[in-house]
Amino acid sequence: MRFSAGFWTAVTALMPLGVSGQPPTGELYTVAKVRQLVTELGQPLHCRVRIQVSMVPGLLVSGPGDFYGQDDTAGISVLTGAPVKFASGEWVELEGWAKAGDEGEVELRVARSLSLGVGRAIRPKIVELRDALGRKHEGQLIQVRGEVLQTSVGESRDTVVLGGGEAGTELRAYLRRAAGQASVFTSLAPPGAQVEITGISLPLNGSAHQIRLRSSADLTQIEAPPWIRPSWAISIALILLMLGGAAFLWIASLKQAVARQTAEIRHLMTKAQDSARLKSEFVANMSHEIRTPMNAILGLTELTLATDLTLDQRENLENVRNATASLLGVVNDVLDFARIEEGKLPFREEIFDLNSLLRETMQQLSLTARQKGLELSWNLDQEIPRLVRSDPYRLRQILVNLVSNAIKFTPSGSIRVEGAKESLDQKTAIVLFSVADTGVGIDLDDQARVFDAFAQVDGSLTRQQGGTGLGLSICARLVELFHGQIWVDSLPGKGSTFHFTAQFTIPDESFEAAKDKYLGATPGGHAPVSLRVLVAEDNEMNRRLVVRLLEKEGHQVSVAVDGQEALTLACAEAFDLILMDIQMPVMSGLDACAALRTRGSATPVVAITAHALPEFKERCAAVGMNDYLAKPIHSEELYAMIRKHVARIAMSVKNG
């Protein structure tokens, strides 16, 4: 029943939506004429109509402001794109674009509307059951009588099927109700009862039609189902005797069938579990094997860029760094999508500073924007509390994906990130984030599928931009975890604006009272003391990289090439910090840490690993590791981790 997102974006860009004090303009048509022209032209029609509201806004799940109306000639579906308030029977004048929807239903997207006042209540058109099945009364309020063939009650949707006693005269009618609201269908529409149904005629599977009820009052029982008649008694008795004999045979065969099916189900479950385990192991191993060399490439490139270089050398190394970072983004997208498909995408809530997260995320992306000559700016509504509870990592992931996408598709101009208050009370804040760019924009036909997995706006061999087609799909799944929605407004050549909403819990404490408790100390600069650090890493390039980064900060470093050697050194010497790879020969990092803890050592152990899946982080914590860094490691992340443990050591000494 919906137009493509691209079509509606074009309409909303051309004209304001919603109720307006200015009267609509344009040529006035009857609804029947609009339906005729849309069918003949095969393209959207700009028109103006006057209709009477037959189904008020708020009843349709598809949109809070969508409704149905009709004039003396026909009925039509009205889409507003924003909440509006019209009463049943109210006459309104509408201007907008009409087009045939997915099921062939003619829909009118409103650009301007004007109330003409409430008129006489609409009298439903009384039609025969067979006539209600065709398109003759589509979009109109009709009334039908028939015998109930079947009734079904769902969590929020009740359905009744009527029959006229002839083949091909079955009509489906349904009513949506609020969660927790009791159904009246089972009492008013039991099978065999004669009922009268009033509602809007809607398309069903293209050619057939169904009836949408406005409320439970639209269903009236005319005649209760008949009791068993005497003429049925003999037939029923014979049927019962036959059923009794068949039941005995059926139970015997059922036991055998159940035994066979149980064995088959167990076999299939075992295969499925093995398949899921192998898939998880493959994804984990792929991540490890790719991230291990990438860690060395990025780290050594970063160290080399900090030295004196010629312009050509610096440009070449910056290209290496950018290409490796792009490859890392592809790996992260594939891993996240695999976890989404398995239903294992973690969402861990914690208290964090929303303003700081937005600032730090944008500062991280500003360098890439400046390299393209783009202006990146951001702002957060001051009414939004600074301290909120949710998953900061997933929020940052959404923002990074959307802003990186904007940078990729914006050759020149600017990118603006806004966080506005959508709603706010004492316990909950809903924030509307917007990422607007002045880039190439998105074609109208492509906007409906930009959030689909593996979708590329330009999938041709000559496309100018790369990507897996997973970034926006992942964003859409992540926004669902924030109980929000995501959509895009765009015009080709005019840029794009991606919007999403996110819900946050507001902590009881104030920002000043809670920042030290939840956000931790934030000392500036690098660690002011020299630490004795043990680095356990079997990969030579990665080992050399970490050692150079630590020695650059003045730390004393010892190395181990496997878990057994790391355990031996840690037991023989006193270290302030141990950086431990997980996957090593002889003894894994997990086993080495577990053995270290059983011997009473309290030395902080930080896992440094190419395993980026969350289950590995949990396994690290289970054996007593204090923290976790996923490869590839950035120098600032490593230094921040060390500063955090220096602060903890200092606090421990102070309290002790």
Side-chain angles (χ1 to χ4, degrees):
M1 180 186 135
R2 311 290 292 176
F3 289 179
S4 71
F7 172 73
W8 291 136
T9 302
V11 173
T12 55
L14 292 173
M15 291 179 288
L17 296 178
V19 178
S20 171
Q22 300 178 356
T25 60
E27 187 171 356
L28 182 65
Y29 295 99
T30 65
V31 174
K33 187 64 175 178
V34 170
R35 299 173 66 88
Q36 175 190 346
L37 292 175
V38 167
T39 302
E40 292 176 353
L41 296 174
Q43 61 184 11
L45 171 70
H46 181 230
C47 60
R48 181 165 60 100
V49 297
R50 290 174 183 167
I51 61 173
Q52 194 173 13
V53 177
S54 57
M55 178 179 283
V56 298
L59 296 182
L60 297 176
V61 177
S62 55
D66 300 350
F67 62 98
Y68 277 84
Q70 63 187 63
D71 60 13
D72 293 334
T73 64
I76 195 169
S77 168
V78 181
L79 310 180
T80 66
V84 296
K85 293 183 179 180
F86 290 129
S88 179
E90 185 173 357
W91 281 94
V92 294
E93 184 168 316
L94 308 173
E95 177 193 355
W97 292 81
K99 184 181 179 183
D102 296 337
E103 296 289 349
E105 181 183 20
V106 175
E107 303 166 331
L108 174 65
R109 175 67 174 191
V110 175
R112 295 188 180 92
S113 61
L114 179 67
S115 174
L116 303 178
V118 178
R120 181 180 300 174
I122 299 177
R123 297 176 63 88
K125 184 177 296 184
I126 300 174
V127 300
E128 295 295 327
L129 190 67
R130 180 180 292 276
D131 291 339
L133 296 172
R135 302 195 60 173
K136 181 179 180 181
H137 306 290
E138 180 179 308
Q140 299 184 58
L141 186 67
I142 63 174
Q143 190 174 88
V144 182
R145 288 190 178 188
E147 180 181 346
V148 177
L149 300 180
Q150 181 183 349
T151 300
S152 62
V153 176
E155 292 184 2
S156 60
R157 178 185 174 117
D158 300 336
T159 306
V160 60
V161 180
L162 304 185
E166 301 176 28
T169 59
E170 294 183 356
L171 176 66
R172 183 181 301 271
Y174 72 97
L175 169 68
R176 288 195 178 274
R177 52 184 168 77
Q181 182 181 0
S183 171
V184 299
F185 273 35
T186 52
S187 59
L188 292 181
Q194 294 288 328
V195 297
E196 184 179 83
I197 287 179
T198 304
I200 306 296
S201 176
L202 306 178
L204 172 66
N205 300 327
S207 58
H209 274 61
Q210 60 185 337
I211 293 181
R212 168 70 185 270
L213 279 64
R214 301 164 298 179
S215 70
S216 59
D218 282 337
L219 173 64
T220 304
Q221 186 180 107
I222 305 301
E223 183 179 347
W227 292 99
I228 297 178
R229 300 184 177 93
S231 59
W232 297 355
I234 297 177
S235 298
I236 292 177
L238 291 174
I239 292 173
L240 290 175
L241 287 173
M242 293 174 63
L243 289 176
F248 178 80
L249 297 175
W250 177 74
I251 291 174
S253 62
L254 180 62
K255 289 182 178 180
Q256 296 178 354
V258 168
R260 289 195 302 269
Q261 291 178 358
T262 301
E264 184 177 353
I265 290 173
R266 287 176 179 170
H267 175 67
L268 292 175
M269 287 181 62
T270 301
K271 289 183 63 177
Q273 291 170 353
D274 290 342
S275 176
R277 178 180 55 80
L278 291 174
K279 178 181 177 182
S280 179
E281 290 178 357
F282 170 77
V283 172
N285 290 332
M286 182 192 73
S287 170
H288 183 276
E289 294 305 316
I290 294 178
R291 286 173 178 273
T292 297
M294 285 176 63
N295 180 59
I297 295 171
L298 278 175
L300 294 174
T301 300
E302 186 177 342
L303 284 173
T304 308
L305 283 171
T307 63
D308 293 331
L309 300 170
T310 66
L311 291 178
D312 287 342
Q313 290 172 335
R314 183 169 299 279
E315 181 179 355
N316 291 339
L317 285 174
E318 287 176 347
N319 288 335
V320 170
R321 180 180 59 186
N322 293 338
T324 309
S326 177
L327 177 59
L328 178 62
V330 173
V331 173
N332 289 337
D333 283 349
V334 172
L335 289 174
D336 278 340
F337 186 75
R339 284 180 287 191
I340 288 172
E341 291 296 294
E342 294 177 5
K344 294 182 178 179
L345 190 68
F347 190 85
R348 296 178 175 84
E349 293 193 355
E350 60 184 69
I351 294 176
F352 64 96
D353 184 349
L354 182 58
N355 186 65
S356 296
L357 182 141
L358 180 61
R359 182 182 67 252
E360 292 167 3
T361 304
M362 294 305 106
Q363 288 174 347
Q364 171 189 343
L365 295 165
S366 60
L367 175 62
T368 306
R370 287 197 302 270
Q371 289 174 344
K372 286 192 66 175
L374 303 175
E375 178 185 354
L376 175 60
S377 60
W378 61 90
N379 181 64
L380 184 67
D381 192 337
Q382 294 184 356
E383 293 187 49
I384 300 172
R386 286 188 62 179
L387 210 60
V388 296
R389 181 189 294 275
S390 190
D391 190 327
Y393 173 77
R394 295 304 175 193
L395 179 61
R396 181 183 291 110
Q397 187 176 2
I398 297 171
L399 292 170
V400 168
N401 268 345
L402 293 180
V403 176
S404 299
N405 217 43
I407 294 173
K408 181 192 298 185
F409 291 100
T410 304
S412 62
S414 63
I415 299 166
R416 178 70 176 173
V417 180
E418 294 279 352
K421 180 190 73 174
E422 181 84 353
S423 68
L424 179 65
D425 56 36
Q426 292 183 344
K427 294 186 176 181
T428 305
I430 298 179
V431 181
L432 171 62
F433 293 96
S434 302
V435 178
D437 63 60
T438 58
V440 297
I442 304 173
D443 288 338
L444 302 180
D445 293 336
D446 292 324
Q447 292 177 25
R449 60 185 184 90
V450 293
F451 298 108
D452 294 340
F454 306 106
Q456 292 277 6
V457 171
D458 180 6
S460 66
L461 294 175
T462 59
R463 63 189 177 98
Q464 300 181 3
Q465 303 294 342
T468 61
L470 291 176
L472 292 178
S473 175
I474 293 172
C475 285
R477 303 290 185 93
L478 293 178
V479 168
E480 291 178 3
L481 298 179
F482 285 90
H483 305 289
Q485 295 179 317
I486 187 169
W487 68 98
V488 61
D489 295 328
S490 181
L491 283 176
K494 301 294 184 181
S496 304
T497 301
F498 283 84
H499 310 272
F500 73 93
T501 56
Q503 179 175 308
F504 303 95
T505 303
I506 301 175
D508 294 333
E509 299 110 320
S510 67
F511 176 78
E512 293 299 327
K515 65 180 181 179
D516 292 334
K517 177 179 179 182
Y518 293 110
L519 306 181
T522 55
H526 298 312
V529 296
S530 174
L531 303 180
R532 293 204 63 201
V533 184
L534 173 62
V535 176
E537 168 67 68
D538 64 306
N539 183 277
E540 182 179 358
M541 287 191 301
N542 286 321
R543 189 168 61 245
R544 292 174 59 189
L545 168 64
V546 176
V547 170
R548 290 180 63 181
L549 289 174
L550 292 171
E551 290 179 341
K552 183 180 178 183
E553 293 297 298
H555 301 299
Q556 303 175 43
V557 185
S558 299
V559 298
V561 298
D562 58 57
Q564 182 61 59
E565 184 179 359
L567 178 62
T568 302
L569 287 174
C571 292
E573 303 179 34
F575 292 98
D576 298 309
L577 183 66
I578 300 175
L579 304 180
M580 183 86 73
D581 187 20
I582 290 180
Q583 187 170 316
M584 291 187 292
V586 184
M587 177 183 286
S588 71
L590 295 174
D591 292 338
C593 183
L596 193 63
R597 294 301 184 229
T598 59
R599 301 185 186 188
S601 173
T603 304
V605 178
V606 176
I608 296 185
T609 175
H611 288 293
L613 297 178
E615 50 263 36
F616 283 98
K617 187 173 184 179
E618 295 169 358
R619 290 175 61 184
C620 291
V623 299
M625 290 186 169
N626 302 84
D627 231 320
Y628 181 96
L629 279 177
K631 298 175 183 176
I633 298 169
H634 300 284
S635 59
E636 286 305 318
E637 292 179 349
L638 176 63
Y639 296 150
M641 179 71 69
I642 294 175
R643 289 197 301 270
K644 182 166 63 174
H645 287 285
V646 168
R648 289 178 179 174
I649 295 171
M651 183 64 68
S652 175
V653 172
K654 179 180 178 181
N655 295 336

